[in-house]
Amino acid sequence: MNMHVQAAEAAVSISNLSKTYDTGFEALKNVSLDIRKGEIFALLGPNGAGKTTLIGTVCGLVNPTSGQILVGGHDVVADFRKSRALIGLVPQELTGDRFETVWATVSFTRGLFGKPRNDAVIEKILKDLSLWDKRNEKLITLSGGMKRRVLIAKALSHEPEILFLDEPTAGVDVELRRDMWRVVRELRERGVTIILTTHYIEEAEEMADRIGVISKGEIILVEEKTELMTKLGKKDLTIQLQEPIATLPATLTAIGLRLNGDGTELIHTYDSQADRTGIATLMAAVSAEGLSVKDLSTSQSSLEDIFIGLLRDRA
Ligand SMILES: Nc1ncnc2c1ncn2[C@@H]1O[C@H](COP(=O)(O)OP(=O)(O)OP(=O)(O)O)[C@@H](O)[C@H]1O
Ligand SMILES: [Mg+2]
């Protein structure tokens, strides 16, 4: 695929973006990143890495110091209204017009983006987010979790093509998290592009098509989730023994086996990309020690292990 086609297909195209705040702090350093139409992209990174700043520049809330951002082909600075109309943003921080009702605030937000009134759309959004019963209540009376639902409803009110979710599930209960991921999956099925930041790596693992990792204002990795997991992942081969053993024979330690806590399993960790011819040797050594094997299984390291390893390597 040539570069031109790729650029045309991108929902968001970020090139050489840098942001230095007035304090002199360099929050983004020469970031280039394309978000594909229709994908779920998870941006992972520790506190202060620049995730919210990056989202802010794309949504026109933070002025870039240099570089360019196109949303649906529109420059976010020169063509702010057109680019912003394509975007829904669920911000990390709760803010808001506290004396409005739920219905009014969500419906009004749709109007702000120049979309004609559509009560059916607002009704569906409120129902999807279990806010329908609260539609006539003032925001100030709602709990934190309910307010967060309202933020999501507002972000969806103008039926955006691109949705940013900045730490959407930080501090929310299980029910809201479930509602949210159901809504996100539905949106994705309708072709909406979704970019989320999260500290819950299991969430990225479950939801994302691609993962980007940001650290100290730099994108240090962008990869298909499945690729990332096979490339960087380790696998554990677990050999379950018929009978527990008290100590591991030296010959088995020598070839990289470990014994689990209750002596019932031998574990061997290997690179998931490496070939597996070593396994026959392992099994032969196990049987040479007179141990009978009950079962064999392999398991892959989680994204969390990969992520922690990656940041540690750069520290
Ligand atoms: N308005 C600002 N002025 C000066 N520095 C800022 C400003 N906003 C953010 N920063 C700094 O820029 C860096 C990146 O902040 P940002 O909020 O983008 O990080 P983040 O990755 O979203 O972190 P978190 O996971 O805590 O939400 C931080 O060091 C922060 O202190
Ligand atoms: Mg943030």
Side-chain angles (χ1 to χ4, degrees), residues 21 23 25 27 46-53 92 167 199:
Y21 281 110
T23 54
F25 185 82
N47 287 133
K51 302 180 296 293
T52 299
T53 302
Q92 185 170 12
E167 299 285 343
H199 280 108

Side-chain angles (χ1 to χ4, degrees), residues 13-26:
S13 183
I14 299 170
S15 355
N16 308 111
L17 174 68
S18 294
K19 172 64 188 178
T20 305
Y21 281 110
D22 293 342
T23 54
F25 185 82
E26 224 184 329

Side-chain angles (χ1 to χ4, degrees), residues 38-41 90 128-129 152 156 163-165 168-169 176-196 203 206-209:
E39 75 174 335
I40 298 185
F41 187 92
V90 182
D128 282 347
L129 289 162
I152 301 165
L156 296 176
L163 182 66
F164 284 91
L165 297 151
T169 53
L176 174 50
R177 203 179 284 190
R178 207 180 45 220
D179 276 2
M180 189 132 58
W181 295 130
R182 185 177 35 73
V183 170
V184 165
R185 284 201 182 91
E186 271 177 35
L187 290 168
R188 200 265 278 276
E189 274 162 35
R190 294 197 333 236
V192 174
T193 305
I194 292 146
I195 298 121
L196 60 102
E203 246 167 37
E206 194 188 325
M207 302 291 300
D209 301 308

